[in-house]
């Protein structure tokens, strides 16, 4: 096994509101389990963030040993978020965005990307993780055009039926829904979840999905996660493409990520086991 890829740890100008990195375990708010690994906090670690606990870092380092590409995969996933958000705002005229399973805030978030294009854009973040919700509400829900809501993706009606969320988003106008590498952590049928979400959306809405692709390395990571009580199910490219089967594909998707500079499949040296899909509701 070669050397383990270790991610740079940039200094964030936004601090976790419950203490420093050294005191997270002692200062975490009620409802946050600092003794059990957490996917959102591990992704934060892969991105070089500080909003994670020792138990997250320990499992993340074991995962990196099995599949060093996993840190790059998380980075590419964030890049896909911003690339597609800019495209949908600039080229498709979308002004409402819904990020389900948004994870912990990073240096630049979805609302900042789209509001640079049009300050009138509205963004709703949805998650069911207590630490994500606490942190997101403290750092991202800072204006009337951005909201953070608690809901479970496995029950789509609770997501798009939330009366508070519906005060922010108008479901008579197109919405861009982001499901970025969240479906591998839900063992239930992801196609059913996407189909139910789409039924609530008006014509012209777009759904953006990214999903970890099954490889021997990621299957080894899945075993590690399972031992720690975390579900992680990479799927084949065919299975991933079928998740958004009812939508009109937006070229060049579905595609391996990151896209090349010409917009096609990545070069072998750049490719990670992550498939991106973008589809439009007819």
């Amino acid at each position: 096994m070669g050397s383990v890829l270790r991610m740079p740890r940039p200094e964030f100008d936004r601090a976790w509101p419950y203490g420093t990195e050294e005191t997270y375990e002692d200062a975490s708010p009620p409802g946050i389990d600092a003794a059990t690994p957490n996917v959102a906090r591990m992704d934060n670690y892969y991105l070089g963030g500080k909003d994670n606990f020792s138990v997250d870092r320990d499992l993340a380092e074991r995962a990196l040993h099995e599949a060093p590409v996993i840190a790059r995969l998380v980075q590419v996933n964030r890049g896909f978020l911003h690339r597609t958000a800019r495209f949908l705002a600039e080229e498709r005229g979308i002004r409402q965005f819904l990020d389900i399973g948004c994870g912990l805030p990073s240096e630049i978030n979805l609302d900042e990307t789209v509001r640079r294009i049009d300050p009138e854009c509205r963004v709703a973040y949805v998650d069911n993780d207590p630490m994500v919700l606490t942190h997101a509400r403290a750092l991202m829900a800072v204006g009337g055009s951005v909201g953070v809501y608690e809901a479970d993706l496995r029950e789509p009606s609770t997501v798009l039926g939330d009366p508070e969320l519906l005060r922010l988003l108008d479901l008579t106008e197109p919405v861009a829904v982001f499901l970025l590498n969240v479906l591998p952590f839900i063992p239930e049928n992801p196609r059913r979840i996407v189909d139910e979400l789409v039924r609530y959306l008006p014509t012209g809405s777009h759904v953006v999905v990214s999903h970890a692709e099954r490889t021997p390395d990621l299957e080894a990571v899945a075993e590690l996660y399972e031992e720690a009580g975390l579900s992680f199910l990479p799927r084949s490219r065919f299975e991933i493409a079928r998740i958004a089967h009812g939508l009109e594909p937006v070229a060049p998707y579905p595609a391996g990520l990151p896209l090349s500079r010409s917009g096609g499949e990545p070069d072998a040296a750049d490719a990670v086991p992550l498939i991106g899909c973008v589809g439009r509701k007819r």
Side-chain angles (χ1 to χ4, degrees):
M1 178 67 67
S3 60
V4 173
L5 172 66
R6 299 184 184 275
M7 299 304 299
R9 299 179 62 79
E11 292 298 323
F12 286 76
D13 59 2
R14 302 170 171 183
W16 163 241
Y18 290 92
T20 65
E21 184 177 13
E22 291 75 18
T23 61
Y24 283 167
E25 278 85 347
D26 296 330
S28 59
I32 293 179
D33 182 1
T36 303
N38 174 279
V39 170
R41 299 193 308 250
M42 291 173 65
D43 278 359
N44 174 265
Y45 178 73
Y46 293 137
L47 288 169
K50 297 180 179 179
D51 303 325
N52 45 73
F53 301 138
S54 58
V55 67
D56 308 309
R57 297 189 286 272
D58 290 346
L59 183 57
E61 287 294 341
R62 292 175 63 198
L64 287 169
H65 182 76
E66 293 290 344
V69 74
I70 196 167
R72 173 70 178 145
L73 184 153
V74 175
Q75 287 182 328
V76 167
N77 194 52
R78 295 299 298 183
F80 179 59
L81 165 71
H82 297 298
R83 178 187 181 118
T84 53
R86 286 191 296 269
F87 166 76
L88 293 174
E90 291 178 338
E91 303 296 328
R92 296 295 172 104
I94 303 292
R95 292 296 178 264
Q96 300 187 110
F97 298 82
L98 173 59
D99 188 355
I100 306 176
C102 58
L104 287 160
S106 59
E107 286 183 284
I108 300 176
N109 298 294
L110 173 60
D111 62 290
E112 295 164 292
T113 294
V114 298
R115 284 165 57 78
R116 287 174 182 173
I117 296 166
D118 184 345
E120 298 301 313
C121 287
R122 286 168 285 170
V123 179
Y125 294 103
V126 171
D127 212 295
N128 65 351
D129 182 288
M131 183 164 168
V132 169
L133 293 167
T134 301
H135 204 165
R137 286 167 177 157
L139 300 178
M140 296 194 298
V142 295
S145 59
V146 180
V148 177
Y149 308 92
E150 181 177 5
D152 192 328
L153 174 59
R154 292 169 295 186
E155 300 176 3
S157 63
T158 68
V159 177
L160 290 175
D162 184 329
E164 293 297 323
L165 182 147
L166 294 177
R167 290 189 180 95
L168 178 66
L169 300 184
D170 178 1
L171 293 190
T172 67
E173 297 292 333
V175 180
V177 178
F178 288 78
L179 299 167
L180 295 192
N181 209 33
V182 64
L183 294 172
F185 298 96
I186 298 178
E188 291 88 346
N189 182 356
R191 180 167 162 176
R192 188 271 305 173
I193 291 172
V194 173
D195 284 349
E196 288 190 21
L197 282 171
V198 169
R199 279 203 291 271
Y200 286 88
L201 299 174
T203 298
S205 294
H206 289 66
V207 177
V208 181
V209 174
S210 64
H211 198 297
E213 185 177 14
R214 185 184 304 128
T215 65
D217 284 356
L218 289 192
E219 287 186 333
V221 169
E223 291 180 7
L224 281 178
Y225 280 29
E226 184 176 5
E227 291 170 4
L230 303 176
S231 296
F232 178 49
L233 183 61
R235 294 179 168 94
S236 70
R237 181 176 291 217
F238 175 76
E239 291 173 309
I240 297 167
R242 285 183 57 80
I243 289 173
H245 77 291
L247 298 166
E248 177 185 331
V250 175
Y253 304 103
L257 299 176
L259 293 182
S260 68
R261 291 185 180 275
S262 62
E265 290 281 334
D267 296 331
D270 295 329
V272 299
L274 184 70
I275 305 300
C277 304
V278 182
R280 177 183 180 276
K281 181 174 180 178
R282 300 178 180 87

